[in-house]
Amino acid sequence: MAELRRQGTAARQDTAAAAQERGHDMGTRTGGRTDGAETAAEVVRRAPGGLPLLGHVMPLLRDRLAFIRQLRAYGPAVRVTFGPKKMTVINSPEMIHEMLTVKSGQFTKGLLFEKLKLFGKDALPVAEGKPHLVRRRLVQPKFHREKIAGYVDTMRETVEPAVGAWGEGETLDLKTEMQLMTQGVVMAALFSSRPERLPALNILHSVDAVFMAALRRALLPVPLLERLPTRRNRQVEESSRVMRQAVAEIIEEHRADPGAYDDVVSLLLGERDEDGEPLAEDDILSEVTGVLAAGSETTAVVMAWMFHELGRNPALERRLHEEVDSVLAGERITFDHIPRLAFTRMCVNETLRMYSPGWLVTRQATSDVRLGGIELPAGTDVIWSPYALHRDPAVYPDPDRFDPGRWSPERPQPPKNAFIPFGAGKRMCMGDAFAVTEATVIAAVIASRWRLRPTAGEDVRPVGEITVHPSSLHMVAEARGPVAGRRAA
């Protein structure tokens, strides 16, 4: 990191002529349109370390997360290349906020989300323009506050059996356990479906495979390779088929007994377009698949990381246990308990900061646009990183330390636009309240029953996949009271 800072200082000392030449190479303007301002646009510099033809592929492959964090040394915006693909990385919180809010209409969701259309071309998480607006307005009522309150019982009833099936001294693959739990919550609350463990694992592995394919294709965009009948491409096609087949079965159950359901699937089945026609079968399938994938992954990795950090910080773990014991007082968690679990929420926020699921988010400029002091020509591919933003030492002192107390109201809070784990603006994740409530329920249910201990010798590192995954995370379950039972063989 020190070496990269040194290189960053050297880069800033380049002559103005050399900087202008690099800006011209990128297509970034040093003059031209300034949205009424008289000052010339700033130059976006190229990050050092790129190789001919490959660009910055090698440092990206070595450590994606370290690479994206190191780019903050080069100012509010910096240019990188991956093979033939040129991208502009936006580091400034103010510029990110401007892009996501007041100037969001001048950007599409970009390359990563284009590749995520493997889940469905017009599914809400990846839709653009009018389809996005129509679907968001349709589905959003299912995430209103009064609905969230009603989901808490479903969340608890989904999580308790999973947690109760752990055995004293059992070594858990914590990421998988959390993924199964959060996937189960989404399916039960939004689709009225409760698959058994093996079918749920099949769905989970299929979602993971499609997510990984989307990320690879976004970082190394060579469309021809996506169409070749390679083993990897065949695996992606099979994973997509398994996932969509599982969703199709849920839809058929709803069709067979439409009066029995009041959830996202029944909402989609009852929707009519401008001509009074029902939504196309593929549209419904894509929407349900997209919600399932998006809703399962992010909360799971956050919860895995949270218990990893608590396992390394016994004093914080004790404080969590004390709060849960005091607030719940032996009762099952309900929505009324949620606001009183203040430290639990602080732990969730701190995990969202340190391990923000989105390490890489893309946008693409649809017209010439000015962000802060830079000009982005139409067609510019843009990257921003919540993970890097949330670990910026200029905003968060000692950013690599897990410190839930930084969210205490007695301490200074970060600027609002510097903590955006769910995005901002019209594309802000509408499931933010659902996810935070779900995380609080999971934390309380686990903490009321178990201590989770680290396994000796395991090297747990953050890895930038579609979310920030732990490289490997196994923890030992230690009961705080009588063991509720063991998982059936």
Side-chain angles (χ1 to χ4, degrees):
M1 180 68 81
E3 174 61 18
L4 278 155
R5 281 197 292 269
R6 184 193 66 74
Q7 292 178 355
T9 301
R12 286 190 289 273
Q13 294 172 346
D14 283 347
T15 65
Q20 184 170 357
E21 180 180 352
R22 281 193 298 274
H24 177 74
D25 174 58
M26 175 193 176
T28 303
R29 304 174 186 181
T30 55
R33 185 177 67 79
T34 59
D35 292 342
E38 294 298 324
T39 57
E42 298 172 11
V43 170
V44 178
R45 304 177 186 276
R46 184 177 186 273
L51 298 173
L53 300 179
L54 293 176
H56 298 90
V57 167
M58 295 310 295
L60 182 75
L61 292 178
R62 279 195 296 270
D63 191 332
R64 295 168 181 172
L65 297 177
F67 174 71
I68 203 73
R69 287 186 70 182
Q70 290 159 359
L71 294 177
R72 299 189 72 78
Y74 306 112
V78 63
R79 177 167 62 96
V80 295
T81 58
F82 304 128
K85 176 64 68 173
K86 298 179 181 179
M87 297 183 177
T88 300
V89 180
I90 303 296
N91 293 319
S92 158
E94 295 77 19
M95 288 167 61
I96 292 170
H97 182 76
E98 183 181 14
M99 177 174 63
L100 298 181
T101 56
V102 295
K103 294 187 177 174
S104 62
Q106 292 174 268
F107 293 89
T108 63
K109 297 199 77 172
L111 192 59
L112 176 58
F113 293 92
E114 184 66 31
K115 301 306 179 184
L116 282 171
K117 289 184 178 180
L118 285 164
F119 288 110
K121 63 178 182 178
D122 282 327
L124 182 59
V126 298
E128 303 280 5
K130 185 177 179 180
H132 172 264
L133 181 62
V134 170
R135 295 290 169 80
R136 189 176 180 100
R137 285 176 175 171
L138 173 65
V139 177
Q140 194 155 22
K142 291 297 182 184
F143 293 93
H144 286 170
R145 177 179 171 79
E146 61 273 15
K147 282 290 185 181
I148 301 298
Y151 291 145
V152 170
D153 288 349
T154 302
M155 293 174 179
R156 181 193 65 237
E157 290 162 5
T158 303
V159 171
E160 282 182 340
V163 171
W166 294 348
E168 170 68 21
E170 181 179 359
T171 299
L172 307 169
D173 180 342
L174 199 62
K175 182 173 78 73
T176 298
E177 292 296 317
M178 293 298 180
Q179 284 178 302
L180 286 170
M181 251 183 268
T182 57
Q183 178 178 279
V185 166
V186 169
M187 296 184 75
L190 303 182
F191 309 152
S192 306
S193 176
R194 298 179 183 272
E196 296 295 328
R197 184 176 176 89
L198 183 56
L201 273 170
N202 290 336
I203 296 170
L204 175 62
H205 294 326
S206 297
V207 171
D208 279 351
V210 175
F211 268 141
M212 291 177 68
L215 181 66
R216 284 194 303 267
R217 294 176 182 186
L219 293 177
L220 297 172
V222 184
L224 176 62
L225 297 181
E226 299 172 17
R227 296 191 291 270
L228 294 177
T230 63
R231 180 176 61 85
R232 178 174 285 176
N233 286 343
R234 288 195 300 270
Q235 288 174 339
V236 172
E237 290 176 4
E238 175 61 15
S239 295
S240 182
R241 186 197 65 77
V242 169
M243 182 173 53
R244 290 170 76 86
Q245 178 60 37
V247 170
E249 291 173 4
I250 294 171
I251 294 171
E252 284 309 306
E253 290 172 0
H254 282 64
R255 287 192 196 279
D257 191 3
Y261 302 97
D262 179 21
D263 55 22
V264 169
V265 179
S266 59
L267 190 70
L268 292 166
L269 287 171
E271 178 65 6
R272 296 296 181 267
D273 64 18
E274 296 170 349
D275 299 321
E277 296 295 322
L279 296 180
E281 184 72 17
D282 192 61
D283 286 347
I284 298 172
L285 187 63
S286 295
E287 200 63 65
V288 176
T289 304
V291 171
L292 171 61
S296 302
E297 176 76 7
T298 52
T299 308
V301 295
V302 168
M303 296 313 296
W305 282 120
M306 177 175 155
F307 280 99
H308 166 68
E309 288 292 348
L310 291 170
R312 300 198 302 174
N313 293 274
L316 296 177
E317 182 189 52
R318 279 194 302 273
R319 186 174 171 187
L320 175 70
H321 289 162
E322 289 167 1
E323 177 179 85
V324 168
D325 292 347
S326 172
V327 171
L328 297 189
E331 298 177 354
R332 302 175 78 194
I333 188 168
T334 67
F335 183 72
D336 291 338
H337 292 120
I338 301 293
R340 296 161 53 198
L341 293 168
F343 183 70
T344 308
R345 174 64 183 271
M346 289 159 59
C347 289
V348 171
N349 275 354
E350 181 66 349
T351 313
L352 281 168
R353 181 195 69 81
M354 280 191 70
Y355 301 102
S356 188
W359 74 275
L360 180 142
V361 185
T362 60
R363 289 291 187 269
Q364 186 178 73
T366 56
S367 60
D368 292 358
V369 57
R370 187 181 181 102
L371 290 180
I374 70 166
E375 290 277 0
L376 299 177
T380 300
D381 285 301
V382 175
I383 293 173
W384 67 280
S385 173
Y387 178 85
L389 171 63
H390 294 161
R391 289 191 181 226
D392 188 337
V395 181
Y396 297 98
D398 199 4
D400 295 325
R401 182 167 69 92
F402 184 73
D403 178 17
R406 74 173 81 236
W407 300 101
S408 168
E410 287 78 32
R411 286 171 60 174
Q413 297 298 293
K416 186 176 181 180
N417 60 8
F419 181 63
I420 47 175
F422 299 101
K426 68 181 183 181
R427 284 194 170 277
M428 180 176 174
C429 175
M430 65 182 178
D432 59 335
F434 183 100
V436 170
T437 302
E438 177 189 14
T440 305
V441 170
I442 293 172
V445 171
I446 293 176
S448 67
R449 299 187 181 196
W450 300 97
R451 293 182 178 89
L452 296 180
R453 295 289 180 245
T455 54
E458 185 170 43
D459 179 23
V460 182
R461 294 171 290 101
V463 177
E465 295 293 349
I466 199 72
T467 57
V468 180
H469 280 220
S471 55
S472 175
L473 179 54
H474 294 83
M475 301 192 77
V476 178
E478 181 180 299
R480 298 188 63 216
V483 179
R486 294 178 180 274
R487 180 180 304 133

